[in-house]
Amino acid sequence: MSVAAAFVRSGRKIVAIGRNYADHVMELNNAMPKEPFFFLKPTTSYVPSGGRVEIPRGIVAHHEVELGLVIGKGGRDIKQADAEQHIAGYALAVDMTARNLQDQVKKKGLPWSAAKGFDTFTPIGSYIPKSSILDPHNLNLSLKINGAVKQDGPTSDMIFRIPRLLEHISSIMTLEEGDLILTGTPSGVGPVAPGDHVECSLTDAEGKELSALDFTA
Amino acid sequence: MSVAAAFVRSGRKIVAIGRNYADHVMELNNAMPKEPFFFLKPTTSYVPSGGRVEIPRGIVAHHEVELGLVIGKGGRDIKQADAEQHIAGYALAVDMTARNLQDQVKKKGLPWSAAKGFDTFTPIGSYIPKSSILDPHNLNLSLKINGAVKQDGPTSDMIFRIPRLLEHISSIMTLEEGDLILTGTPSGVGPVAPGDHVECSLTDAEGKELSALDFTA
Ligand SMILES: [Mg+2]
Ligand SMILES: [Mg+2]
Ligand SMILES: [Mg+2]
């Protein structure tokens, strides 16, 4: 298995884009970004599909279903025209977020690392080879809690598209094989309570399921 | 060579503590922390001693000389009494910081990841096995630019000591062998300009040099 296909075990970083869907930016009353921005999540936050997300005491943990990009060929200062060559595959992911803690640190100008980095805060689906996805900007992301749809949005709504994201991140830090890029979440984020069962789906334009991911809290 | 001794090549994360020396908290007009906080730096930011730190156009890059802890035995929810068993060794490090960018994101409540995460923003010295350091809270950190002393402070000034730092971080995220913890910087931080030669030293209570680290910008 390539390092990229084994990214959950072998990857060194997770780079997550914030505020990349306009509906989501508005639901949290955030400013619309003029350029992409990102934060890091530790790879210790991965939990495979079927696993359990631990919600620490006192934490309000929100789900954010996202399309993940798995880096194949590493690089620095990647040009938008070359971005596609650096992607080995995709994965369906949830960027779990300690929303109450994040709200506090945002007010104080402190880092987001703890609010985004708890163990089990990145539920992750199977590796999807690039050849299985015709157009990553023409997919649909959805998330249900206990059967009720909470998030349901098309990746065509991304404010900054994938080549722009790779260009931006790699202008700051080298990307390596096995790194995961989370590309932002559509609207509908909200709390996951202990005991909840969460099911996510990635479908193509025809409604065919490309990947599923579920977890219990 | 153990994973810990080869941490620069094999480590998966760098966890950096902010505001852990009172003099430094005051020099930046920051609030004194009531508990430790941290941010993540990508391992792609490492540059070995003798290397070159790249200062991106438009960035004011500050030096922060720090004592690094290299994790040996990984763990989660590490108790203060057990912390010492999880440390394999130490390393002298500089937490380079894009201060102008950090000031902007702090005002906007955005993540610190870019401001701390540029390639070459973590100059790193040789691995120091734990047996070479009698008391990590009784060392001295210093940094010179072009021969002029800019930072010079004792690790005894840490607000939160090493066992507390490991307890705090590992209550949020699992620590793994080869992870690096940066423990904060004493006062005297300031800009490094292109062409500057920076020399850092870690000495024990008797003034004996335990490690040196230098770079050119
Ligand atoms: Mg997100
Ligand atoms: Mg990392
Ligand atoms: Mg620092």
Short mmCIF file of all heavy atoms in Angstrom, two decimals, chain B residues 155-180:
data_model
loop_
_atom_site.label_atom_id
_atom_site.label_comp_id
_atom_site.label_asym_id
_atom_site.label_seq_id
_atom_site.Cartn_x
_atom_site.Cartn_y
_atom_site.Cartn_z
N THR B 155 15.57 28.49 32.60
CA THR B 155 14.36 27.66 32.50
C THR B 155 13.63 27.55 33.84
O THR B 155 12.48 27.13 33.88
CB THR B 155 14.67 26.24 31.96
OG1 THR B 155 15.59 25.60 32.86
CG2 THR B 155 15.28 26.30 30.57
N SER B 156 14.30 27.98 34.91
CA SER B 156 13.62 28.01 36.22
C SER B 156 12.49 29.04 36.23
O SER B 156 11.63 29.01 37.11
CB SER B 156 14.62 28.32 37.33
OG SER B 156 15.28 29.54 37.05
N ASP B 157 12.47 29.94 35.24
CA ASP B 157 11.41 30.96 35.16
C ASP B 157 10.12 30.46 34.51
O ASP B 157 9.16 31.23 34.39
CB ASP B 157 11.90 32.18 34.38
CG ASP B 157 12.72 33.14 35.24
OD1 ASP B 157 12.87 32.87 36.45
OD2 ASP B 157 13.20 34.15 34.71
N MET B 158 10.09 29.21 34.07
CA MET B 158 8.84 28.71 33.44
C MET B 158 7.66 28.89 34.39
O MET B 158 7.75 28.54 35.57
CB MET B 158 8.95 27.21 33.12
CG MET B 158 9.79 26.88 31.93
SD MET B 158 9.68 25.07 31.59
CE MET B 158 11.12 24.89 30.54
N ILE B 159 6.55 29.42 33.88
CA ILE B 159 5.33 29.57 34.69
C ILE B 159 4.75 28.19 34.97
O ILE B 159 4.43 27.85 36.11
CB ILE B 159 4.30 30.46 33.95
CG1 ILE B 159 4.88 31.87 33.72
CG2 ILE B 159 2.99 30.53 34.74
CD1 ILE B 159 4.01 32.75 32.83
N PHE B 160 4.59 27.39 33.94
CA PHE B 160 4.11 26.01 34.08
C PHE B 160 5.29 25.08 33.80
O PHE B 160 5.91 25.17 32.74
CB PHE B 160 2.96 25.72 33.12
CG PHE B 160 1.81 26.68 33.29
CD1 PHE B 160 1.55 27.66 32.35
CD2 PHE B 160 1.02 26.63 34.44
CE1 PHE B 160 0.51 28.56 32.52
CE2 PHE B 160 -0.02 27.53 34.63
CZ PHE B 160 -0.28 28.50 33.67
N ARG B 161 5.59 24.22 34.77
CA ARG B 161 6.76 23.35 34.64
C ARG B 161 6.44 22.13 33.78
O ARG B 161 5.30 21.88 33.42
CB ARG B 161 7.28 23.01 36.03
CG ARG B 161 7.90 24.26 36.68
CD ARG B 161 8.11 24.11 38.16
NE ARG B 161 9.31 23.36 38.49
CZ ARG B 161 10.50 23.90 38.73
NH1 ARG B 161 10.69 25.20 38.65
NH2 ARG B 161 11.53 23.13 39.06
N ILE B 162 7.47 21.42 33.42
CA ILE B 162 7.37 20.35 32.42
C ILE B 162 6.29 19.30 32.74
O ILE B 162 5.49 18.97 31.85
CB ILE B 162 8.77 19.73 32.17
CG1 ILE B 162 9.67 20.80 31.51
CG2 ILE B 162 8.69 18.47 31.34
CD1 ILE B 162 11.16 20.46 31.48
N PRO B 163 6.21 18.79 33.96
CA PRO B 163 5.16 17.78 34.24
C PRO B 163 3.75 18.33 33.98
O PRO B 163 2.89 17.64 33.41
CB PRO B 163 5.37 17.44 35.71
CG PRO B 163 6.83 17.74 35.95
CD PRO B 163 7.11 18.97 35.12
N ARG B 164 3.54 19.58 34.34
CA ARG B 164 2.23 20.21 34.10
C ARG B 164 1.95 20.35 32.60
O ARG B 164 0.82 20.17 32.15
CB ARG B 164 2.23 21.60 34.78
CG ARG B 164 0.98 22.40 34.59
CD ARG B 164 -0.15 21.93 35.49
NE ARG B 164 -1.43 22.48 35.06
CZ ARG B 164 -1.85 23.71 35.31
NH1 ARG B 164 -1.13 24.53 36.06
NH2 ARG B 164 -3.02 24.13 34.86
N LEU B 165 2.98 20.67 31.83
CA LEU B 165 2.80 20.82 30.37
C LEU B 165 2.40 19.49 29.74
O LEU B 165 1.46 19.42 28.94
CB LEU B 165 4.09 21.34 29.72
CG LEU B 165 4.59 22.71 30.20
CD1 LEU B 165 5.88 23.08 29.46
CD2 LEU B 165 3.54 23.79 30.03
N LEU B 166 3.10 18.41 30.14
CA LEU B 166 2.76 17.10 29.57
C LEU B 166 1.37 16.66 30.00
O LEU B 166 0.61 16.08 29.21
CB LEU B 166 3.79 16.04 29.97
CG LEU B 166 5.18 16.17 29.36
CD1 LEU B 166 5.94 14.85 29.48
CD2 LEU B 166 5.14 16.57 27.90
N GLU B 167 1.02 16.93 31.24
CA GLU B 167 -0.32 16.60 31.72
C GLU B 167 -1.38 17.33 30.90
O GLU B 167 -2.37 16.73 30.46
CB GLU B 167 -0.45 16.99 33.20
CG GLU B 167 -1.80 16.69 33.81
CD GLU B 167 -1.93 17.26 35.23
OE1 GLU B 167 -1.82 18.50 35.41
OE2 GLU B 167 -2.13 16.46 36.16
N HIS B 168 -1.15 18.63 30.70
CA HIS B 168 -2.15 19.43 29.97
C HIS B 168 -2.30 18.97 28.52
O HIS B 168 -3.41 18.70 28.05
CB HIS B 168 -1.77 20.91 30.01
CG HIS B 168 -2.71 21.76 29.23
ND1 HIS B 168 -3.99 22.04 29.67
CD2 HIS B 168 -2.61 22.32 28.00
CE1 HIS B 168 -4.61 22.76 28.75
NE2 HIS B 168 -3.80 22.94 27.73
N ILE B 169 -1.18 18.88 27.81
CA ILE B 169 -1.25 18.51 26.38
C ILE B 169 -1.88 17.13 26.23
O ILE B 169 -2.78 16.94 25.39
CB ILE B 169 0.15 18.52 25.74
CG1 ILE B 169 0.75 19.94 25.78
CG2 ILE B 169 0.08 18.01 24.29
CD1 ILE B 169 2.26 19.96 25.53
N SER B 170 -1.44 16.18 27.06
CA SER B 170 -1.91 14.79 26.88
C SER B 170 -3.32 14.58 27.41
O SER B 170 -3.91 13.52 27.20
CB SER B 170 -0.93 13.81 27.53
OG SER B 170 -1.02 13.90 28.94
N SER B 171 -3.90 15.59 28.05
CA SER B 171 -5.32 15.51 28.42
C SER B 171 -6.18 15.81 27.19
O SER B 171 -7.37 15.51 27.17
CB SER B 171 -5.65 16.49 29.54
OG SER B 171 -5.71 17.82 29.06
N ILE B 172 -5.57 16.39 26.16
CA ILE B 172 -6.28 16.76 24.93
C ILE B 172 -5.90 15.84 23.78
O ILE B 172 -6.77 15.34 23.06
CB ILE B 172 -6.00 18.24 24.59
CG1 ILE B 172 -6.63 19.12 25.67
CG2 ILE B 172 -6.51 18.60 23.19
CD1 ILE B 172 -6.17 20.55 25.69
N MET B 173 -4.61 15.63 23.60
CA MET B 173 -4.15 14.79 22.48
C MET B 173 -3.07 13.81 22.92
O MET B 173 -2.20 14.15 23.71
CB MET B 173 -3.68 15.63 21.30
CG MET B 173 -2.64 16.68 21.59
SD MET B 173 -2.23 17.69 20.11
CE MET B 173 -3.73 18.68 19.90
N THR B 174 -3.15 12.60 22.39
CA THR B 174 -2.14 11.58 22.65
C THR B 174 -0.78 12.07 22.18
O THR B 174 -0.65 12.63 21.09
CB THR B 174 -2.53 10.29 21.89
OG1 THR B 174 -3.74 9.78 22.47
CG2 THR B 174 -1.44 9.23 21.97
N LEU B 175 0.22 11.87 23.02
CA LEU B 175 1.61 12.15 22.61
C LEU B 175 2.21 10.85 22.09
O LEU B 175 1.93 9.77 22.60
CB LEU B 175 2.40 12.72 23.78
CG LEU B 175 2.00 14.16 24.12
CD1 LEU B 175 2.64 14.61 25.42
CD2 LEU B 175 2.36 15.12 22.99
N GLU B 176 3.04 10.98 21.05
CA GLU B 176 3.66 9.82 20.41
C GLU B 176 5.18 9.95 20.46
O GLU B 176 5.71 11.06 20.51
CB GLU B 176 3.22 9.73 18.95
CG GLU B 176 1.74 9.52 18.76
CD GLU B 176 1.33 9.52 17.30
OE1 GLU B 176 1.52 10.56 16.61
OE2 GLU B 176 0.82 8.49 16.83
N GLU B 177 5.84 8.82 20.37
CA GLU B 177 7.30 8.82 20.32
C GLU B 177 7.76 9.71 19.16
O GLU B 177 7.25 9.60 18.04
CB GLU B 177 7.83 7.39 20.13
CG GLU B 177 9.34 7.32 20.25
CD GLU B 177 9.89 5.90 20.14
OE1 GLU B 177 9.13 4.97 19.83
OE2 GLU B 177 11.11 5.74 20.38
N GLY B 178 8.71 10.59 19.44
CA GLY B 178 9.24 11.47 18.40
C GLY B 178 8.55 12.82 18.33
O GLY B 178 9.01 13.71 17.61
N ASP B 179 7.45 13.01 19.06
CA ASP B 179 6.84 14.34 19.13
C ASP B 179 7.78 15.28 19.87
O ASP B 179 8.52 14.86 20.78
CB ASP B 179 5.49 14.29 19.88
CG ASP B 179 4.36 13.67 19.07
OD1 ASP B 179 4.54 13.43 17.86
OD2 ASP B 179 3.28 13.42 19.66
N LEU B 180 7.75 16.55 19.50
CA LEU B 180 8.54 17.57 20.19
C LEU B 180 7.60 18.54 20.90
O LEU B 180 6.62 18.99 20.31
CB LEU B 180 9.40 18.35 19.18
CG LEU B 180 10.32 19.42 19.79
CD1 LEU B 180 11.53 18.77 20.46
CD2 LEU B 180 10.79 20.43 18.73
#
